[in-house]
Amino acid sequence: MAKPFSPQVVTANDLLDGDAVWLTAAGSWALDANQALVLNTPEDAARALAAATAQPGTVVGPYLADVSLEAGRPVATHTREALRMRGPSNYFHGKQETAQNV
């Protein structure tokens, strides 16, 4: 029996700086996972992944990641995605320097 579909987002790494990024409803890439387009059907997920894969000059390694929704925001259901959504583990520089939830 097939596993039921759960909501997904498309994530990848920015080609130039390596940051984890998420595909938005506008087709652009956001550093904030809360801006990610949540895909609710396998067909939408396949289309979004195909669109992301067609941007090799912008991102590398796009893939679908399972999420759940809490207060309308995507929340990672796997440890890898939770770490990617939080940002680099080195909190002394870069975008994590001012992290509120350290």
Side-chain angles (χ1 to χ4, degrees):
M1 181 177 250
K3 178 183 168 187
F5 186 82
S6 63
Q8 295 181 321
V9 295
V10 177
T11 185
N13 288 90
D14 183 275
L15 181 63
L16 297 180
D17 62 21
D19 280 338
V21 291
W22 287 266
L23 187 66
T24 68
S28 60
W29 295 93
L31 292 171
D32 182 358
N34 290 320
Q35 297 175 8
L37 169 64
V38 177
L39 306 156
N40 292 304
T41 68
E43 296 79 17
D44 288 344
R47 278 192 292 275
L49 183 58
T53 303
Q55 298 181 40
T58 306
V59 296
V60 295
Y63 65 95
L64 295 167
D66 291 339
V67 295
S68 62
L69 293 177
E70 293 181 15
R73 294 183 176 171
V75 176
T77 59
H78 297 285
T79 303
R80 177 182 180 183
E81 275 33 86
L83 292 171
R84 287 173 56 81
M85 286 180 171
R86 196 164 174 182
S89 60
N90 181 340
Y91 295 103
F92 301 108
H93 71 280
K95 68 182 181 180
Q96 291 297 323
E97 183 176 12
T98 58
Q100 299 296 317
N101 297 321
V102 177

